[in-house]
Amino acid sequence: MPQYRVSEAAELLGVSDDTVRRWVDAQQLPAESDGSGRLVVEGSALAEFARARARAARDPSGIERSARNRFVGLVTEVTSDTVMSQVELQCGSQRVVSLLSTEAVTDLGLRPGVLAVAVVKSTAVVIETPGGGR
């Protein structure tokens, strides 16, 4: 099972090293010392902790749909020509980019600062793992 040093766990959780150490000290996040005496978090424990702490923004649409991949965020940029537009949303720490018709962008009133929901339904999702034997 992979283990993550405090700095790696902090980066994955989007917080500071000190925050991770506080969670460990408060026994909210289990950690142990590795063979070199460094504080590490077991990968499965980190995954469980990340999932439990994840808080998605409330979906303002009020619509139920089969697509489970819904990302609520703010429009940060819209680049349009006469036919197509590229819309960027900042959804928490993730940037989501979509190409859609300029007509749809106009109809939806998409512009920087507008709250929007990116809905992804795909039969193909690529999952990668980093190299280096993790």
Side-chain angles (χ1 to χ4, degrees):
M1 182 63 63
Q3 295 180 326
Y4 296 91
R5 294 189 317 262
V6 168
S7 61
E8 293 171 322
E11 183 177 354
L12 290 167
L13 295 171
V15 297
S16 70
D17 295 10
D18 288 338
T19 297
V20 171
R21 285 189 193 90
R22 280 193 294 275
W23 287 333
V24 169
D25 290 345
Q27 298 181 345
Q28 295 174 316
L29 179 61
E32 58 191 41
S33 292
D34 67 5
S36 300
R38 295 178 300 193
L39 195 61
V40 294
V41 179
E42 194 74 37
S44 60
L46 185 60
E48 183 179 327
F49 184 81
R51 185 177 201 174
R53 296 194 65 82
R55 292 189 186 104
R58 185 183 67 78
D59 185 338
S61 67
I63 298 171
E64 294 299 321
R65 59 181 68 86
S66 63
R68 298 290 178 233
N69 301 308
R70 299 160 69 166
F71 305 96
V72 178
L74 292 172
V75 175
T76 56
E77 188 173 345
V78 177
T79 305
S80 298
D81 64 20
T82 57
V83 177
M84 294 299 293
S85 293
Q86 177 178 304
V87 177
E88 295 186 24
L89 282 84
Q90 192 66 39
C91 304
S93 64
Q94 302 301 311
R95 175 178 164 251
V96 177
V97 180
S98 179
L99 299 175
L100 57 156
S101 71
T102 297
E103 181 180 8
V105 168
T106 302
D107 290 349
L108 293 170
L110 298 176
R111 63 188 183 287
V114 170
L115 181 65
V117 181
V119 180
V120 179
K121 180 103 177 179
S122 177
T123 57
V125 175
V126 176
I127 297 177
E128 300 175 337
T129 60
R134 277 254 181 214

